[in-house]
Amino acid sequence: MYDVKGNLSRVLADLPPGVRLVAISKYHPNEYIEAAYELGQRIFGESHEQELRQKHGSLPQDIEWHFIGHLQTNKVKYIAPYISMVEAVDSMKLLREINKQAKNCGRTIKVLLELHIAEEETKYGLTLDACRQLLDAGEWRQLDHVQICGLMMMASFVDDENQIRREMTMAADFFDEVKARHFAHDDAFCERSWGMSHDYKIALECRSTMIRVGTTIFGPRVY
Ligand SMILES: *Cc1c(COP(=O)(O)O)cnc(C)c1O
């Protein structure tokens, strides 16, 4: 087996106080997750509903599962009973559906708004302007069963560290803007989720509070 415990220990040793690790376990078997769990890791991230359903059903119940991928609205009902956080919300439609399903379960679900800052073309994530508009519109304030806890983003997948730093700094500055404008009195709005295997050390310099690391801990994914 891949040296999950050794790798996890090294990543955890890099974390300053106040920064948490989401161990990204997608495509990795339960025994890898159990090894990390034995070392005390409790937050894991998955990006496919069915895979998550199986893992949630067969692994310890005190694991906090984060949904990190693109979530289709028709899948929300399956994860609503147990998901700790939906990290990549990029539309009011999805936010409304999470609220509705959370209400059905008598829960409040934590979410992050996903920003699209990277230069790469992707369909997902809110541009800064779209995020401003969503928050200014204010409908989210009526959704009592979702709690917006912060922002998440993926930097461009490039070697140029300066570009990664620029993008993450842009996200961190935007967090400050949004915090001041909409969440100044809301202590729950505190999370900045950025940093993956190849760039989490940069993310730690760019005010990340939550890194999402998979490959460095569990090895390459077998699809
Ligand atoms: C897969 C994934 C990660 C982890 O990527 P690694 O390079 O394996 O660390 C982080 N965030 C998101 C959104 C992902 O889909």
Side-chain angles (χ1 to χ4, degrees):
M1 180 160 115
Y2 216 73
D3 183 18
V4 169
K5 288 186 181 175
N7 296 331
L8 174 60
S9 304
R10 281 184 285 277
V11 172
L12 290 174
D14 285 337
L15 294 190
V19 178
R20 291 185 298 159
L21 167 69
V22 183
I24 305 300
S25 49
K26 62 189 183 197
Y27 297 101
H28 293 295
N30 284 1
E31 55 178 331
Y32 282 33
I33 299 174
E34 281 159 355
Y37 183 92
E38 281 170 21
L39 218 63
Q41 181 65 25
R42 290 294 179 272
I43 313 177
F44 292 86
E46 291 281 336
S47 58
H48 296 279
E49 183 274 320
Q50 283 197 330
E51 182 180 355
L52 174 54
R53 192 191 312 187
Q54 286 179 344
K55 287 176 173 171
H56 169 258
S58 55
L59 286 160
Q61 292 301 299
D62 63 340
I63 288 180
E64 292 177 38
W65 295 103
H66 285 206
F67 199 92
I68 57 157
H70 176 67
L71 179 58
Q72 292 170 282
T73 48
N74 62 353
K75 299 284 172 63
V76 174
K77 58 178 173 292
Y78 301 119
I79 65 170
Y82 64 86
I83 199 76
S84 282
M85 183 179 273
V86 179
E87 288 214 17
V89 173
D90 65 357
S91 71
M92 266 316 291
K93 181 171 174 245
L94 180 57
L95 197 61
R96 279 185 212 115
E97 180 64 16
I98 297 169
N99 184 68
K100 179 179 156 193
Q101 299 299 341
K103 187 176 179 187
N104 284 344
C105 301
R107 306 186 61 213
T108 298
I109 296 177
K110 295 177 178 180
V111 305
L112 304 178
L113 298 177
E114 181 184 9
L115 299 177
H116 176 71
I117 289 178
E119 282 168 12
E120 284 146 14
E121 288 291 321
T122 128
K123 291 180 287 189
Y124 304 126
L126 296 155
T127 62
L128 300 190
D129 269 338
C131 189
R132 285 187 187 102
Q133 281 168 24
L134 185 153
L135 290 169
D136 283 349
E139 184 194 336
W140 59 275
R141 291 187 186 278
Q142 263 88 64
L143 305 180
D144 291 334
H145 293 267
V146 288
Q147 181 165 47
I148 302 177
C149 294
L151 305 175
M152 84 81 96
M153 61 85 82
M154 269 183 278
S156 295
F157 196 80
V158 293
D159 290 331
D160 181 358
E161 290 200 3
N162 289 325
Q163 182 178 347
I164 295 170
R165 198 169 275 114
R166 242 186 347 262
E167 292 175 0
M168 289 176 173
T169 301
M170 193 181 286
D173 291 345
F174 185 71
F175 174 95
D176 292 343
E177 174 191 321
V178 164
K179 175 81 181 164
R181 189 170 168 85
H182 298 287
F183 298 95
H185 305 291
D186 182 354
D187 291 342
F189 188 90
C190 63
E191 301 293 357
R192 294 176 290 269
S193 175
W194 42 84
M196 302 164 53
S197 287
H198 67 285
D199 61 10
Y200 79 83
K201 289 185 184 169
I202 303 173
L204 296 175
E205 298 167 15
C206 298
R207 294 177 270 160
S208 174
T209 62
M210 203 181 257
I211 60 169
R212 307 180 308 267
V213 177
T215 309
T216 297
I217 298 167
F218 299 112
R221 286 178 282 275
V222 182
Y223 296 103

